Amino acid sequence: MDLVLTFVFFILGGTEALLMRLQLSQANNTLLDPKTYNELFTMHGTTMIFLFVVPIMAGFGNYFVPLMIGARDMAYPKLNALSFWLLVAGGLVFYGSVFFNPPECGWTCYPPLSSSNYLPNGGVDAWIYLIHLTGLSSLVGAINFYATIANMRAPGMGWGRLPLFVWTILTYAILLILALPVIAGAVTMLLTDRHFGTHFFDPSNGGSPLLWQHLFWFFGHPEVYIMVLPGFGIISEVLPVFARKPIFGYKAVAAATVLIAFLGLLVWAHHMFATPSPTYVLIFFMLGSFLIAVPTGVKIFNWVATLWRGTIEFKTALLFCVGFIGTFLIGGITGVFLAVFPVDWQLTDTYFVVAHLHYVLMGGSVFGIFAGIYYWFPKITGRLLSEGLGKLSFWLMLVGFHVTFLIQHSLGLDGMPRRIYEYPDVGHLELYNLISTVGSFILAAGVLVTAINVVRSVKRGPIAGPDPWKGNTLEWFTTSPPPVNNFDVIPRVRSVEPMKDIRRQVERQMGPTDEMAQPVPESAVRT
């Protein structure tokens, strides 16, 4: 339910992006008026972050964390249901504003623009309620993940044998528990400023708009890693399966996950380099931002080393992983550029930042999500997706993404500001924007191919069997799709790759098996 709902929001957010790109394809375009453009801009950013990337990771986590740790369910199933329906409520409240006054303050809703003086209608209030409802949804879900992973692991699965995807979901949950109360407090203060006469963010009455920025980005920067770390986990599960060798440096990848999360809590003000801050504060956040690149680099080297000299099978899931590594690397490098605060003073609020953001989040999270869809779809449905359509989707998405966003670095360097609905025909701005718009439609075509592939394969895809990829983790031990109770027999875990151990045991008892076409005998598991 989580996966399907969030993918619907992904299609909505993508449609909003295409409308914006159509407006920007020509200089001095009049397709959209400024109010409509600002509404689309706000709804696109908010939808993609709060209604797609964060909750779809929870969807993958809810489905696969119990399977991967050998649990029969999440610790609190009713809390799961509450989390889902709070997400639905948040989406309904937010998109209900379309029929009245959608918010037009950007996905960050900075005061004073979001104050009642400038935007007295209900759009900002709908945004505030969305943050509260989706925040509660993520918070109760995060508590559930923590309780499940801490207490319900299979016999023998110590912390040193936890699948890397589970490590990233555990880190995701802890970051949500730490960061969400801060944004909840911030939007409550904004609500009381708008309706109850307080002045937290009103400088004329002793408040400070900078306070909003500190509160928002103390949540907002960990939010980047909340969105990206589970994508890292998916990559860390898929690569070793299709490279036919163990993940290189399991402990280093797990430790890097935790270190990224810790450092992510300490660098929020690099989003605020253009605000009046003392130089020593700028230097602290600059060095912290440099430091966070180190564990991220460790992960990238380990992923490449996993592929090195592997017996590689070029399945669609692996292609998305490789696309992820290259794309995220570019986003990380431009992030290091922006972490140098004199460089940031030149590039802040230009399209260079838009390009960086999308290389990290689209190239990072979304490519990881699509790798997860192609990898785990057989387990969820019992059927395989079409590899031909999958590879077509990958190449359309990869080419479309880079055509859309690579050139936006040049737009930013040429001085085009972000968050504008029109621009003059100066230099190459119109040509660059037209190229970007063409790329966005190629990217959308790639997403559409995967949507068609999923709908077609649910009924007509080839039967997958329990373990079509010869995977390493316990979700491949049970049938596809899994029974309601996940496992009739919970196996004992003896290594980081329990399914390899189980297959060896079966082969010792029964001789070589044909691609694990049959469920594993209970006697083999008990021994």
Side-chain angles (χ1 to χ4, degrees), residues 17 21 24 347 350-359 400-416 418 429 432-433 435-437 439-440:
R21 286 307 328 161
L24 293 170
L347 296 176
T350 70
Y351 261 76
F352 191 94
V353 180
V354 177
H356 161 70
L357 174 76
H358 285 85
Y359 264 87
F401 175 83
H402 287 289
V403 172
T404 304
F405 294 107
L406 191 63
I407 204 159
Q408 289 185 7
H409 295 100
S410 298
L411 276 169
L413 290 167
D414 279 0
M416 181 168 170
R418 65 199 291 202
L429 293 188
Y432 290 172
N433 272 292
I435 292 169
S436 186
T437 298
S440 69

Side-chain angles (χ1 to χ4, degrees), residues 145-170:
F145 282 130
Y146 186 88
T148 304
I149 296 166
N151 296 298
M152 298 177 68
R153 302 189 302 278
M157 186 176 281
W159 293 105
R161 293 175 180 170
L162 211 58
L164 287 167
F165 177 71
V166 179
W167 266 114
T168 59
I169 290 291
L170 178 65

